[in-house]
């Protein structure tokens, strides 16, 4: 089945479960996050595997992406070796910078919106509402120029509940080229060790 057509035909709950799968969450974690039973999540994952004709969860996450990681030379099986690495690693596709891979450190370090999966969503959408102009400018510049971008203490400010959190990341962004064109980026980030949290006053 055509992936774009399949993505559009999914129910809201299927999209939520798929978002959890793309973020690397286990069924139990997805169930907890959505407030549903683990058996319900298992049933939905099985249906998604069938809809996308995917043999496993990794293939499902790849099949549901808007572009093909292979088209940019990314080997997701290889990247998955870095899933537990302490350094945050993102691999993005195309000019919209849609992550096709984010390791666990990236999911905890980069303050994406909770309701939007980081993998499979453009960085601008995933980071909407988060003050991260410098980070997004570095991403755009690396993609446009084909040059490596390095920056220290890149500020990201976001609100969670009644708290405003500010994190600072050291970032390295490397363009990935196919022939002479940039087709994606590898983003490496680590917490610079400086963080702030402030209570929001009403």
């Amino acid at each position: 089945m055509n992936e774009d057509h399949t993505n559009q035909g999914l129910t809201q709950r299927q999209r939520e479960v798929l978002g959890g799968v793309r973020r690397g969450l286990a069924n139990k974690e997805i169930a907890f996050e959505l407030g549903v039973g683990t058996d319900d999540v298992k049933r939905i994952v099985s249906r998604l595997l069938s809809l996308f004709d995917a043999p496993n969860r990794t293939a499902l996450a790849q099949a549901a992406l808007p572009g093909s990681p292979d088209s940019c030379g990314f080997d997701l099986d290889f990247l998955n070796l870095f899933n537990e690495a302490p350094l945050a690693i993102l691999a993005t596709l195309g000019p919209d910078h849609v992550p096709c891979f984010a390791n666990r450190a990236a999911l905890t370090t980069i303050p994406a919106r909770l309701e939007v999966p980081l993998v499979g969503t453009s960085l601008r959408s995933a980071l909407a509402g988060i003050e991260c102009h410098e980070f997004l400018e570095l991403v755009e510049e690396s993609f446009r120029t084909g040059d490596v971008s390095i920056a220290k203490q890149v500020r990201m400010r976001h609100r969670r509940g009644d708290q405003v959190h500010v994190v600072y990341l050291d970032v390295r962004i490397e363009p990935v080229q196919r022939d002479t064109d940039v087709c994606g980026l590898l983003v490496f980030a680590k917490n610079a060790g400086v963080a702030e949290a402030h209570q929001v006053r009403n």
Side-chain angles (χ1 to χ4, degrees), residues 2-4 7 52-54 57-67 69:
N2 177 293
E3 283 121 30
D4 290 335
N7 268 322
F52 284 94
D53 195 26
R57 294 169 78 95
T58 301
L60 174 61
Q62 291 174 17
L65 289 170

Side-chain angles (χ1 to χ4, degrees), residues 72-147:
C72 199
F74 288 124
D75 180 343
L76 293 183
D77 290 330
F78 175 74
L79 286 173
N80 277 319
L81 294 174
F82 300 98
N83 199 41
E84 301 300 327
L87 185 68
I89 303 171
L90 276 180
T92 70
L93 295 169
D96 290 330
H97 317 297
V98 177
C100 61
F101 172 81
N103 70 351
R104 287 199 185 271
L107 296 174
T108 58
T109 303
I110 298 171
R113 292 168 42 213
L114 292 175
E115 68 276 12
V116 178
L118 184 58
V119 174
T121 304
S122 75
L123 279 182
R124 285 206 179 275
S125 295
L127 299 176
I130 295 167
E131 292 178 24
C132 55
H133 309 292
E134 183 182 0
F135 176 75
L136 290 173
E137 285 173 10
L138 290 166
V139 166
E140 295 289 348
E141 181 182 337
S142 281
F143 192 85
R144 187 180 67 255
T145 65
D147 294 332

Side-chain angles (χ1 to χ4, degrees), residues 153-171:
Q153 296 196 358
V154 175
R155 182 176 185 260
M156 297 185 117
R157 183 178 183 268
H158 61 104
R159 183 176 177 161
R160 292 266 164 90
D162 64 349
Q163 295 275 314
V164 173
H165 297 269
V166 180
V167 295
Y168 295 88
L169 303 177
D170 292 341
V171 177

Side-chain angles (χ1 to χ4, degrees), residues 42 51 57 68 101 107 110-111 127 146 149-150 174 186 190:
K42 285 181 187 175
L51 279 172
R57 294 169 78 95
S68 165
F101 172 81
L107 296 174
I110 298 171
L127 299 176
S149 294
I150 300 172
E174 298 187 10
L186 278 172
K190 71 172 186 168

